[in-house]
Amino acid sequence: MSGGEVAGILVAVFWAILVSFLAVALARLAQTLKATTRLVADVTDQAVPLLADASATVRSAQTQLDRVDAIASDVQEVTSNASALSSTVASTFGGPLVKVAAFGYGVRRALGGRREDAPAREARRTVIVGRAVSRREKRNARGKRD
């Protein structure tokens, strides 16, 4: 055998080894692609019903939100009606009731001052913006009340 023939045999052997490695790699790649295809098919089979359920849930939530929106608008309308009714009642009865109360107070004061058997009165109090202030009665020069 000559040097060229030995070199040709070595190249053929290396070529055969390289082709064998490529064949094994391609066989494993084919298995991986088959497994990936099965996995994608399984995910698709499971995802389609999940997407349908999610779509139904979103539709149901939208229906409930529409109902809540209708209820909120009704509550807002009732609130505005109650406010209008309250202001109407206050303006209709508020002024006359204050006048009647003031008249009743005046009559009570007028009649209460004429009673002779009434006990001694305590110091009068005047209400000024939420607080009571006592008025001191006048005292004469000796420190006694008039």
Side-chain angles (χ1 to χ4, degrees):
M1 281 195 169
S2 71
E5 291 177 348
V6 172
I9 291 177
L10 284 177
V11 169
V13 169
F14 285 127
W15 186 256
I17 292 173
L18 179 66
V19 168
S20 299
F21 282 131
L22 287 176
V24 169
L26 286 175
R28 289 189 179 176
L29 181 64
Q31 288 177 352
T32 303
L33 286 175
K34 284 179 186 177
T36 304
T37 304
R38 272 188 267 125
L39 180 66
V40 168
D42 290 343
V43 167
T44 302
D45 290 343
Q46 293 175 2
V48 170
L50 286 176
L51 288 175
D53 289 345
S55 177
T57 303
V58 167
R59 271 187 253 119
S60 174
Q62 181 62 37
T63 303
Q64 295 299 325
L65 284 175
D66 290 341
R67 288 180 184 167
V68 168
D69 188 35
I71 290 170
S73 64
D74 290 343
V75 167
Q76 184 179 8
E77 184 178 341
V78 166
T79 303
S80 64
N81 289 343
S83 175
L85 179 64
S86 173
S87 63
T88 301
V89 167
S91 65
T92 303
F93 296 114
L97 285 178
V98 169
K99 291 177 183 176
V100 167
F103 178 73
Y105 178 73
V107 168
R108 213 172 351 133
R109 291 279 297 190
L111 294 177
R114 294 188 181 180
R115 288 184 8 196
E116 293 179 12
D117 60 342
R121 294 188 304 176
E122 294 180 20
R124 296 185 306 180
R125 294 184 179 262
T126 304
V127 177
I128 300 175
V129 190
R131 45 181 209 158
V133 178
S134 296
R135 291 187 190 171
R136 293 187 181 172
E137 295 183 17
K138 293 184 180 179
R139 296 178 184 244
N140 60 16
R142 294 183 190 164
K144 294 184 179 179
R145 292 184 184 165
D146 289 333

Short mmCIF file of all heavy atoms in Angstrom, two decimals, residues 17-42:
data_model
loop_
_atom_site.label_atom_id
_atom_site.label_comp_id
_atom_site.label_asym_id
_atom_site.label_seq_id
_atom_site.Cartn_x
_atom_site.Cartn_y
_atom_site.Cartn_z
N ILE A 17 -17.15 7.69 10.26
CA ILE A 17 -17.41 8.05 11.65
C ILE A 17 -18.23 9.34 11.71
O ILE A 17 -19.20 9.46 12.48
CB ILE A 17 -16.08 8.19 12.43
CG1 ILE A 17 -15.41 6.81 12.56
CG2 ILE A 17 -16.30 8.81 13.80
CD1 ILE A 17 -14.01 6.86 13.16
N LEU A 18 -17.87 10.31 10.89
CA LEU A 18 -18.61 11.59 10.86
C LEU A 18 -20.04 11.36 10.42
O LEU A 18 -20.97 11.92 11.03
CB LEU A 18 -17.90 12.56 9.91
CG LEU A 18 -18.56 13.92 9.76
CD1 LEU A 18 -18.52 14.70 11.07
CD2 LEU A 18 -17.91 14.71 8.65
N VAL A 19 -20.30 10.56 9.44
CA VAL A 19 -21.65 10.27 8.98
C VAL A 19 -22.43 9.54 10.06
O VAL A 19 -23.62 9.80 10.27
CB VAL A 19 -21.60 9.46 7.66
CG1 VAL A 19 -22.96 8.88 7.30
CG2 VAL A 19 -21.07 10.32 6.53
N SER A 20 -21.78 8.63 10.79
CA SER A 20 -22.45 7.92 11.88
C SER A 20 -22.89 8.90 12.97
O SER A 20 -24.02 8.83 13.48
CB SER A 20 -21.53 6.87 12.49
OG SER A 20 -21.17 5.92 11.52
N PHE A 21 -21.97 9.80 13.38
CA PHE A 21 -22.34 10.80 14.39
C PHE A 21 -23.48 11.69 13.91
O PHE A 21 -24.40 12.01 14.67
CB PHE A 21 -21.12 11.67 14.75
CG PHE A 21 -20.16 10.99 15.69
CD1 PHE A 21 -18.80 10.98 15.42
CD2 PHE A 21 -20.61 10.36 16.85
CE1 PHE A 21 -17.91 10.36 16.27
CE2 PHE A 21 -19.72 9.75 17.71
CZ PHE A 21 -18.35 9.74 17.42
N LEU A 22 -23.43 12.08 12.64
CA LEU A 22 -24.52 12.92 12.09
C LEU A 22 -25.83 12.15 12.04
O LEU A 22 -26.89 12.72 12.32
CB LEU A 22 -24.14 13.43 10.69
CG LEU A 22 -23.07 14.54 10.67
CD1 LEU A 22 -22.72 14.87 9.22
CD2 LEU A 22 -23.56 15.77 11.39
N ALA A 23 -25.78 10.85 11.74
CA ALA A 23 -27.00 10.04 11.70
C ALA A 23 -27.60 9.92 13.10
O ALA A 23 -28.82 10.04 13.30
CB ALA A 23 -26.71 8.66 11.13
N VAL A 24 -26.75 9.72 14.13
CA VAL A 24 -27.24 9.63 15.52
C VAL A 24 -27.84 10.97 15.93
O VAL A 24 -28.91 11.03 16.56
CB VAL A 24 -26.10 9.20 16.47
CG1 VAL A 24 -26.49 9.36 17.93
CG2 VAL A 24 -25.68 7.77 16.19
N ALA A 25 -27.16 12.08 15.61
CA ALA A 25 -27.66 13.41 15.97
C ALA A 25 -28.99 13.67 15.27
O ALA A 25 -29.93 14.22 15.88
CB ALA A 25 -26.63 14.46 15.59
N LEU A 26 -29.12 13.31 14.02
CA LEU A 26 -30.38 13.51 13.30
C LEU A 26 -31.50 12.64 13.87
O LEU A 26 -32.65 13.09 13.95
CB LEU A 26 -30.19 13.24 11.81
CG LEU A 26 -29.42 14.32 11.03
CD1 LEU A 26 -29.19 13.87 9.59
CD2 LEU A 26 -30.19 15.63 11.05
N ALA A 27 -31.18 11.42 14.29
CA ALA A 27 -32.19 10.55 14.89
C ALA A 27 -32.69 11.14 16.21
O ALA A 27 -33.90 11.17 16.48
CB ALA A 27 -31.61 9.15 15.11
N ARG A 28 -31.76 11.67 17.04
CA ARG A 28 -32.18 12.30 18.30
C ARG A 28 -32.98 13.58 18.04
O ARG A 28 -33.95 13.87 18.74
CB ARG A 28 -30.96 12.59 19.16
CG ARG A 28 -30.38 11.32 19.72
CD ARG A 28 -29.32 11.60 20.74
NE ARG A 28 -28.80 10.35 21.26
CZ ARG A 28 -27.81 10.30 22.12
NH1 ARG A 28 -27.23 11.40 22.53
NH2 ARG A 28 -27.39 9.12 22.55
N LEU A 29 -32.57 14.32 17.04
CA LEU A 29 -33.31 15.54 16.68
C LEU A 29 -34.72 15.19 16.21
O LEU A 29 -35.68 15.89 16.55
CB LEU A 29 -32.56 16.31 15.59
CG LEU A 29 -33.19 17.62 15.13
CD1 LEU A 29 -33.24 18.63 16.26
CD2 LEU A 29 -32.41 18.19 13.95
N ALA A 30 -34.87 14.11 15.47
CA ALA A 30 -36.20 13.67 15.02
C ALA A 30 -37.05 13.28 16.23
O ALA A 30 -38.25 13.62 16.29
CB ALA A 30 -36.07 12.51 14.05
N GLN A 31 -36.47 12.58 17.23
CA GLN A 31 -37.21 12.23 18.42
C GLN A 31 -37.65 13.49 19.19
O GLN A 31 -38.77 13.59 19.68
CB GLN A 31 -36.36 11.33 19.33
CG GLN A 31 -36.17 9.92 18.81
CD GLN A 31 -35.24 9.12 19.72
OE1 GLN A 31 -34.65 9.65 20.65
NE2 GLN A 31 -35.11 7.82 19.42
N THR A 32 -36.73 14.44 19.28
CA THR A 32 -37.06 15.69 19.99
C THR A 32 -38.18 16.43 19.27
O THR A 32 -39.10 16.97 19.93
CB THR A 32 -35.80 16.59 20.08
OG1 THR A 32 -34.76 15.86 20.73
CG2 THR A 32 -36.08 17.86 20.84
N LEU A 33 -38.14 16.46 17.96
CA LEU A 33 -39.20 17.14 17.20
C LEU A 33 -40.54 16.43 17.36
O LEU A 33 -41.58 17.08 17.47
CB LEU A 33 -38.81 17.24 15.73
CG LEU A 33 -37.73 18.28 15.41
CD1 LEU A 33 -37.34 18.20 13.94
CD2 LEU A 33 -38.22 19.67 15.75
N LYS A 34 -40.52 15.09 17.42
CA LYS A 34 -41.77 14.35 17.63
C LYS A 34 -42.35 14.66 19.02
O LYS A 34 -43.55 14.88 19.18
CB LYS A 34 -41.53 12.84 17.50
CG LYS A 34 -41.37 12.36 16.09
CD LYS A 34 -41.13 10.86 16.07
CE LYS A 34 -40.82 10.38 14.67
NZ LYS A 34 -40.51 8.94 14.64
N ALA A 35 -41.47 14.67 20.05
CA ALA A 35 -41.94 14.97 21.41
C ALA A 35 -42.47 16.40 21.49
O ALA A 35 -43.50 16.66 22.13
CB ALA A 35 -40.80 14.77 22.40
N THR A 36 -41.80 17.32 20.82
CA THR A 36 -42.26 18.72 20.81
C THR A 36 -43.60 18.82 20.12
O THR A 36 -44.50 19.55 20.58
CB THR A 36 -41.22 19.61 20.12
OG1 THR A 36 -39.96 19.46 20.77
CG2 THR A 36 -41.63 21.06 20.16
N THR A 37 -43.78 18.11 19.02
CA THR A 37 -45.05 18.12 18.31
C THR A 37 -46.18 17.58 19.19
O THR A 37 -47.27 18.16 19.25
CB THR A 37 -44.94 17.29 17.02
OG1 THR A 37 -43.86 17.79 16.22
CG2 THR A 37 -46.22 17.34 16.22
N ARG A 38 -45.90 16.48 19.91
CA ARG A 38 -46.91 15.93 20.83
C ARG A 38 -47.24 16.93 21.95
O ARG A 38 -48.40 17.11 22.31
CB ARG A 38 -46.42 14.61 21.43
CG ARG A 38 -46.77 13.41 20.57
CD ARG A 38 -46.44 12.10 21.28
NE ARG A 38 -45.09 11.73 20.86
CZ ARG A 38 -44.07 11.48 21.66
NH1 ARG A 38 -44.23 11.50 22.96
NH2 ARG A 38 -42.89 11.18 21.18
N LEU A 39 -46.22 17.56 22.50
CA LEU A 39 -46.42 18.53 23.57
C LEU A 39 -47.26 19.71 23.10
O LEU A 39 -48.20 20.14 23.80
CB LEU A 39 -45.06 19.02 24.09
CG LEU A 39 -45.10 20.04 25.22
CD1 LEU A 39 -45.70 19.41 26.48
CD2 LEU A 39 -43.73 20.59 25.49
N VAL A 40 -46.96 20.23 21.93
CA VAL A 40 -47.74 21.36 21.39
C VAL A 40 -49.18 20.93 21.13
O VAL A 40 -50.13 21.68 21.42
CB VAL A 40 -47.07 21.91 20.10
CG1 VAL A 40 -47.99 22.86 19.38
CG2 VAL A 40 -45.77 22.60 20.44
N ALA A 41 -49.38 19.73 20.65
CA ALA A 41 -50.74 19.24 20.41
C ALA A 41 -51.51 19.11 21.73
O ALA A 41 -52.69 19.49 21.82
CB ALA A 41 -50.70 17.90 19.68
N ASP A 42 -50.85 18.57 22.78
CA ASP A 42 -51.51 18.45 24.08
C ASP A 42 -51.84 19.82 24.67
O ASP A 42 -52.93 20.02 25.23
CB ASP A 42 -50.62 17.67 25.06
CG ASP A 42 -50.50 16.20 24.69
OD1 ASP A 42 -51.35 15.73 23.89
OD2 ASP A 42 -49.57 15.54 25.20
#
